[in-house]
Amino acid sequence: MGSPRFLLLGPLEVWAGDRRIPLGGRVNEKVLTLLLLAPGQVLSVARIVEGIWGETSPETATHQVRKAVSNLRTRLPGGKLLIETVGTGYRIAVHDDDLDSTRFAAAVQRAQALLGDGRSDRAAEELRTALDLWRGASLDDHGSAVISAASAALEERRMAALEQLLALRLDSGEGPELVGELRDLVAANPLRERLYAHLMLALYRSGRRADALDVFRSVRRLLGEELGVDPGPELIGLHEAVLKDSPDLLAATPAARPAPEPAEPPQQPATVPRLLPSDLPDFVGRSAELAAVVAAAAEAGTAGGRIVAVDGIGGCGKTSFAIRAAHTIAAAFPDGQIFLDLQSHSPGEEPVSANTALDILLRSLGKRPDEIPDDLAGRTGMWRNCLTDRRYLLVLDNVREVGQIRPLLPATAGSIAIVTSRARLVDLDGARWVSLRELSPHESSAFLARTLGADLVAADLPAARDLAEFCGHLPLALRIASARLLNRPGWTLDRMVRRLADQTRRLDELSSTDRSVEATLRSSYDAMEPPVRTAFRLTAQHPGGALDVHSAAALLARDLPAADSALESLMDVRFLQLRNDGRYGFHDLVRAFALRLPDADGEAGIALRRLLDYYCQTSDDACAQVFPYWRRLDTTFRPESPYLPRFPDHGAALEWLDREHSSLIAVVRRAEQERLDLHAAYLARNLAYHLNLRGYFEDYYEVAKIAVACARRLGDSSLLLLSLSNLAAVCWKVGRLPEGVAAAEEGLAASIAINNAHAEARCRGTLGMLLTTVGAYDAALPHLERSIALGTEAGLYRETAESLTVLSMLHENCGDFRRSVESAQAAVEISRRLHAVEIEIAALTDKAVAHLRCGELSQARACVEQARPLSDESKLPGNVALLLAVCAEVAALGGDPAAAVESVESALRLAEASRTPVRQAAVANIVGRVRFAVRDFEGALKAHRYAYRHASAIGYRIEAARALEGMEAAATVLDGADRPSPGRIPV
């Protein structure tokens, strides 16, 4: 079917082949529109929410956006690869040819280039091609200010192209045939003066001089009444020309209108330099950035000398981009194009001074050495005199600071300078900024296909993607890796990937005889001031993907203003990148380079300990706000840090945990690697609360394993007991039931040995849950009863409520539905006193299931109706999935198949997202029963097969048995046996 085609130039449409793809709702359409308006760019969820709702976003806005992305990935062919998750945002990787707005812009650019070559007929064809892409008014905004503004911008580009095409048609001799079309356009766009000018000219050339003058009177009156202004110079000049019957208004062939020879200024050299390096045939991407240069070039004739400042990390392709941009706009600067390398980061070379650069530039314009002044002021004056009333294109590459190029910059209208530098030249006033980052995965694949050959890349796409990832999507790294492969015919993509996979050797692999990623980065590092170099080495010790000013302050042992200043300095030299969530991140290869630098006096290890102290104490503060049942560890270990953020409320603390959770996991891993076991186990315990809440169970399992290993090495029995308890609990969630039983039994033995009733209650409750899941009900029951008794005696109400929900499940599995109801009700009552919403949801769900098994539909409905308003899909999604599945069963039994199907779809989506096999199996079995009840027997069979696959894989016996029963019932019907009446659910 190929990749989908996206149409923005009209109402949003997506096509795959000859089939239009339904997008499934207004929020889906808006999310896709915002992504397509910024192809290849990362949009944070917050930016998407703002783009859709502005300042009046609903509380569910973030959820709606994530749900929309999930829906789009399902609906669009190749959607999972098309819409990428990057950090906390999303990016759409759409090819230029698949987006009509990009094709429109490209056609207009080609038209401009053709006009510069004097090929107006071909330019008109390109403009027609561009305008033919439009299908009507673009982007129904539905109240979105951002989309409305984008729509207006697209419409402005369309009108500009249309006006230019009309001008070309007039120049080609058309006149009378344009009058009707122009009158319609003027009526539809009453404030566009250029359309009036075209209409006046068309009327005049049709012999209708009086009508042309009447058009001017009409527009003058309209502008005065509507805006209180007079017509612009173009209309006034045209009006005067019509009054005088100026011969310039008559259409003429090119031969009849020869261009006048311009008078040569006194200082104009005879030489017309054409000194641009060759364009690279394998250049890819950067369409938005190129468009910015084209726009600046279009302004060069009406403003003072235009400057485009291109910045980016070494190796990001600034020079290649500048050359491609220069070739793109070269036709608009016929007096000459010059490329000059200032050599600011060339190893072994001194940067070119302004005085020397001017000497080179003047010689390129044909000036003899004896004509060129010796002093900087004299050379500057001569250079600027040469640029007066001329159109030059100047590329100044590899610039270090503004003083190096200020005398070189064009100061009068007509010329343009493209300046490249690794650091943003903040003192370059009036510049249009273009910042280059790494290529997108889509662009990297395209680059590899061009350098290595499309067939080689297509034969092993996973290896090609890994190669691009290990190169950090950096053009220099990709080019070096490609060159090494091409020079070694015996190597495969996979072999190159394996060599790059070793992070300690990656920079060594990305070097050749004359190019090296490390050498490029080293030249930037050596140019830094010593305090900035120190900040770079220490901030790179952060093991996570991003850091903020607080974690930077901890690493650097500086106060917050000083840490912020250090981060900004690293931003200026492009060694740090600002992420959409406001934090800072290192490019992978930059961080690899930093970690190879010598560690002066063990400063890296000291900085890491400060960072660990910071995270331990900050996670304490966040957990205390978010989790009412959290208690600080009873230990002499008290990490202290002066760099803490403040959490005024629950929301701020949870936001910090959400934002930092990936970094926290990385910090735990690094702490274990460095044998900082106490920090690792302490932080892992805090992290477990958040990972459990959000359903990140594989991460939870990893940090729980680390905590157990660290506690064993420390010989800390209390910390080991706590870590074993967490490991046992998460083993149930990830389906590692035997491992969970072993951890719970070890924890139980340890809790009894040290006479810790709290730990014993928790371990027995977890062990009872694990044994219930594997079907060992006789063994599970005494543990659960003892857990409840201990909890009741010691006032451990949360543990008691949790064990009661498990006891309810055990009774339900054993067929004692009445006792199941009683246990669940007891859990509901305790959880409400504790305000433990997540336990209340689980208990109400268990109670509803038990009522259904008793045939008490109204009581079951009452339970789910109480639970639904409490549920939040972002918290414990597996539990919410089970609730929604039970809601579907209640609806099906109550004769509401539409509501049942709706709940089923939501339940399946959340169950899959939860990655919890026990929940996936239980939910799928209920879904199977619901589908059977609504006579979707194929769907029922599919759901039960899914349930059986998950249940049997982890030893979840009762759900495996239920799945087999459901499969048999569905298969019997499908094989032609009597079909059951609607509403019947097999049990």
Side-chain angles (χ1 to χ4, degrees):
M1 182 179 293
S3 58
R5 291 175 291 115
F6 299 91
L7 307 182
L8 286 177
L9 305 183
L12 176 63
E13 293 180 7
V14 182
W15 290 79
D18 59 356
R19 182 173 66 89
R20 182 176 175 180
I21 304 296
L23 297 178
R26 189 161 292 177
V27 175
N28 292 2
E29 292 177 9
K30 288 186 179 182
V31 169
L32 181 58
T33 297
L34 290 167
L35 291 173
L36 289 173
L37 287 172
Q41 298 181 36
V42 179
L43 295 186
S44 67
V45 172
R47 282 185 62 189
I48 296 174
V49 168
E50 182 182 8
I52 296 175
W53 292 283
E55 297 180 356
T56 59
S57 60
E59 293 183 358
T60 60
T62 297
H63 167 66
Q64 289 190 54
V65 169
R66 297 193 187 281
K67 182 178 179 181
V69 169
S70 176
N71 289 338
L72 289 170
R73 284 171 170 165
T74 301
R75 290 174 177 273
L76 299 176
K80 291 184 179 179
L81 295 177
L82 188 69
I83 302 178
E84 306 164 346
T85 299
V86 183
T88 59
Y90 302 101
R91 171 172 58 196
I92 192 164
V94 58
H95 193 276
D96 289 352
D97 290 340
D98 295 329
L99 182 58
D100 61 356
S101 59
T102 305
R103 300 206 310 276
F104 170 80
V108 172
Q109 288 178 24
R110 291 194 297 270
Q112 302 304 325
L114 289 164
L115 283 174
D117 290 336
R119 303 171 67 183
S120 57
D121 55 338
R122 288 290 309 283
E125 292 175 11
E126 288 291 350
L127 289 171
R128 287 190 181 95
T129 298
L131 291 166
D132 286 343
L133 294 169
W134 285 79
R135 298 166 292 110
S138 67
L139 303 181
D140 185 0
D141 59 270
H142 298 304
S144 166
V146 172
I147 297 176
S148 180
S151 176
L154 286 173
E155 180 64 16
E156 178 60 31
R157 292 175 200 161
R158 181 182 79 88
M159 290 304 301
L162 177 59
E163 289 169 345
Q164 189 165 36
L165 175 60
L166 290 166
L168 291 175
R169 292 173 66 186
L170 285 165
D171 286 346
S172 70
E174 292 187 57
E177 56 268 48
L178 284 175
V179 170
E181 181 179 347
L182 283 165
R183 285 200 184 279
D184 291 340
L185 286 169
V186 163
N189 302 273
L191 298 179
R192 296 192 73 89
E193 294 188 38
R194 196 175 183 196
L195 289 177
Y196 287 101
H198 289 337
L199 178 55
M200 288 175 65
L201 191 56
L203 286 166
Y204 184 86
R205 290 179 178 175
S206 305
R208 300 166 62 181
R209 179 172 179 268
D211 288 339
L213 292 171
D214 187 61
V215 168
F216 179 80
R217 285 192 292 271
S218 298
V219 67
R220 181 171 58 186
R221 184 171 57 252
L222 175 68
L223 292 174
E225 292 173 354
E226 294 289 333
L227 304 177
V229 298
D230 292 323
E234 180 182 1
L235 270 177
I236 292 174
L238 180 59
H239 177 245
E240 293 173 354
V242 171
L243 287 172
K244 296 175 183 178
D245 284 321
S246 171
D248 292 338
L249 298 178
L250 297 176
T253 62
R257 293 194 303 174
E261 291 293 330
E264 185 176 16
Q267 292 293 328
Q268 174 62 20
T271 302
V272 178
R274 301 281 189 262
L275 302 178
L276 293 181
S278 298
D279 194 7
L280 291 173
D282 53 19
F283 183 91
V284 298
R286 312 295 196 196
S287 56
E289 293 86 352
L290 285 169
V293 179
V294 171
E299 299 168 356
T302 58
R306 300 302 297 158
I307 304 168
V308 178
V310 182
D311 63 83
I313 186 178
C316 72
K318 296 182 296 298
T319 301
S320 300
F321 170 79
I323 293 171
R324 168 57 63 92
H327 279 284
T328 302
I329 63 174
F333 300 91
D335 294 314
Q337 305 97 38
I338 306 172
F339 178 92
L340 180 59
D341 183 359
L342 278 300
Q343 298 181 352
S344 294
H345 297 285
S346 301
E349 300 284 351
E350 284 294 319
V352 176
S353 68
N355 204 36
T356 301
L358 284 168
D359 182 67
I360 296 170
L361 292 172
L362 290 167
R363 288 171 185 257
S364 71
L365 296 185
K367 293 294 183 182
R368 299 189 312 273
D370 59 319
E371 292 182 279
I372 300 174
D374 292 330
D375 63 301
L376 178 62
R379 290 180 176 182
T380 301
M382 177 177 281
W383 168 246
R384 288 180 174 168
N385 198 28
C386 289
L387 265 57
T388 301
D389 296 328
R390 298 291 168 180
R391 294 183 65 83
Y392 280 103
L393 166 59
L394 183 64
V395 179
L396 302 174
D397 190 40
N398 224 350
V399 176
R400 174 170 292 181
E401 47 88 23
V402 172
Q404 191 181 13
I405 60 167
R406 198 183 297 280
L408 284 58
L409 298 173
T412 56
S415 297
I416 189 170
I418 302 175
V419 179
T420 76
S421 61
R422 294 187 183 179
R424 172 164 284 196
L425 302 175
V426 294
D427 297 328
L428 197 57
D429 298 330
R432 182 186 289 255
W433 301 101
V434 175
S435 294
L436 299 185
R437 299 190 65 166
E438 62 271 22
L439 298 175
S440 70
H442 178 78
E443 291 168 340
S444 295
S445 297
F447 179 89
L448 291 173
R450 292 187 185 183
T451 54
L452 298 174
D455 292 341
L456 178 63
V457 172
D460 196 351
L461 283 174
R465 285 193 289 267
D466 288 343
L467 176 64
E469 191 68 29
F470 287 141
C471 288
H473 303 286
L474 208 61
L476 174 62
L478 289 165
R479 197 173 294 284
I480 293 171
S482 298
R484 295 197 70 189
L485 268 170
L486 291 172
N487 290 328
R488 293 163 176 78
W491 282 21
T492 62
L493 268 172
D494 184 63
R495 179 172 180 178
M496 189 71 206
V497 167
R498 289 198 305 272
R499 295 176 71 91
L500 290 172
D502 184 352
Q503 191 170 6
T504 61
R505 298 185 62 248
R506 190 172 300 163
L507 289 175
D508 296 328
E509 295 292 334
L510 295 175
S511 63
S512 60
T513 54
D514 59 344
R515 289 183 297 188
S516 164
V517 172
E518 183 168 14
T520 299
L521 298 175
R522 170 69 70 174
S523 65
S524 294
Y525 175 78
D526 290 342
M528 295 177 185
E529 295 296 326
V532 182
R533 289 203 295 266
T534 300
F536 173 57
R537 292 194 305 272
L538 295 187
T539 52
Q541 296 301 316
H542 194 298
L547 69 161
D548 62 9
V549 66
H550 295 279
S551 52
L555 284 162
L556 301 175
R558 301 184 189 177
D559 60 24
L560 294 181
D564 183 65
S565 177
L567 292 173
E568 290 299 316
S569 296
L570 292 172
M571 274 278 294
D572 288 341
V573 296
R574 293 299 179 258
F575 267 29
L576 272 182
Q577 298 171 342
L578 185 63
R579 295 164 39 120
N580 289 332
D581 61 2
R583 293 184 298 166
Y584 300 83
F586 286 99
H587 187 281
D588 288 346
L589 295 180
V590 173
R591 188 165 179 274
F593 166 69
L595 295 178
R596 290 165 71 106
L597 295 170
D599 180 12
D601 302 323
E603 62 180 0
I606 297 169
L608 179 62
R609 283 180 177 271
R610 288 195 299 266
L611 182 70
L612 290 169
D613 284 348
Y614 160 77
Y615 272 122
C616 285
Q617 188 173 350
T618 307
S619 64
D620 273 359
D621 294 345
C623 285
Q625 280 277 12
V626 176
F627 307 103
Y629 47 89
W630 177 88
R631 295 292 180 271
R632 197 176 301 275
L633 279 179
D634 183 15
T635 173
T636 56
F637 177 60
R638 284 288 180 268
E640 293 185 0
S641 174
Y643 316 106
L644 306 179
R646 299 299 174 210
F647 303 129
D649 53 33
H650 172 283
L654 182 57
E655 181 182 359
W656 184 85
L657 288 167
D658 285 338
R659 187 176 64 246
E660 294 285 342
H661 102 266
S662 295
S663 292
L664 288 165
I665 293 168
V667 168
V668 170
R669 292 183 189 130
R670 179 71 181 279
E672 184 198 26
Q673 291 167 4
E674 300 296 331
R675 287 298 190 262
L676 298 172
D677 292 330
L678 190 52
H679 285 91
Y682 189 102
L683 188 55
R685 180 260 185 171
N686 282 347
L687 188 52
Y689 283 89
H690 177 254
L691 297 176
N692 181 66
L693 177 72
R694 290 304 195 201
Y696 302 141
F697 296 129
E698 289 297 335
D699 292 337
Y700 182 2
Y701 174 74
E702 179 189 357
V703 300
K705 292 277 286 186
I706 289 174
V708 169
C710 291
R712 288 194 197 281
R713 282 196 297 266
L714 289 167
D716 187 324
S717 57
S718 296
L719 198 54
L720 176 60
L721 175 55
L722 178 61
S723 302
L724 286 168
S725 177
N726 283 334
L727 177 60
V730 76
C731 280
W732 180 84
K733 297 175 186 294
V734 297
R736 300 173 182 268
L737 303 181
E739 183 180 358
V741 169
E745 288 178 339
E746 182 182 356
L748 177 58
S751 64
I752 294 172
I754 62 174
N755 196 27
N756 187 325
H758 187 166
E760 182 182 349
R762 187 177 180 193
C763 287
R764 286 190 184 276
T766 304
L767 185 56
M769 177 174 64
L770 288 157
L771 293 171
T772 297
T773 305
V774 299
Y777 304 128
D778 290 341
L781 183 59
H783 286 299
L784 292 171
E785 290 175 338
R786 180 59 178 160
S787 173
I788 293 166
L790 285 170
T792 303
E793 292 169 8
L796 306 173
Y797 301 115
R798 184 177 183 85
E799 288 75 5
T800 300
E802 288 173 339
S803 292
L804 281 166
T805 62
V806 178
L807 185 60
S808 175
M809 180 176 67
L810 183 150
H811 288 316
E812 192 263 328
N813 289 350
C814 293
D816 193 344
F817 305 129
R818 188 54 55 199
R819 292 184 69 185
S820 178
V821 169
E822 292 170 357
S823 298
Q825 178 58 31
V828 168
E829 292 170 359
I830 296 174
S831 62
R832 285 177 176 169
R833 290 199 302 271
L834 296 174
H835 303 290
V837 173
E838 69 280 9
I839 300 178
E840 184 179 353
I841 292 171
L844 285 168
T845 304
D846 291 337
K847 187 180 176 186
V849 170
H851 279 306
L852 285 177
R853 301 300 169 259
C854 292
E856 298 167 350
L857 180 60
S858 60
Q859 291 91 329
R861 182 181 292 111
C863 290
V864 297
E865 287 175 350
Q866 293 173 54
R868 281 295 293 270
L870 303 175
S871 61
D872 178 350
E873 293 184 9
S874 68
K875 299 175 182 177
L876 296 171
N879 289 4
V880 179
L882 186 62
L883 168 63
L884 292 175
V886 175
C887 289
E889 191 169 5
V890 169
L893 287 170
D896 190 352
V901 171
E902 181 181 356
S903 292
V904 155
E905 296 304 321
S906 298
L908 284 173
R909 173 179 54 81
L910 280 176
E912 186 65 23
S914 75
R915 306 291 183 189
T916 310
V918 289
R919 287 291 182 243
Q920 289 169 319
V923 167
N925 271 331
I926 298 174
V927 168
R929 295 198 295 271
V930 171
R931 286 178 170 168
F932 190 95
V934 299
R935 306 179 68 79
D936 177 10
F937 305 113
E938 289 281 1
L941 183 60
K942 180 180 178 181
H944 287 304
R945 283 175 174 166
Y946 176 93
Y948 181 75
R949 185 166 66 251
H950 283 284
S952 60
I954 64 172
Y956 196 176
R957 295 179 183 175
I958 192 163
E959 292 299 345
R962 288 169 176 165
L964 289 171
E965 291 172 3
M967 290 160 60
E968 182 180 0
T972 300
V973 174
L974 291 170
D975 288 342
D978 292 336
R979 292 181 178 257
S981 59
R984 175 190 152 196
I985 292 183
V987 179

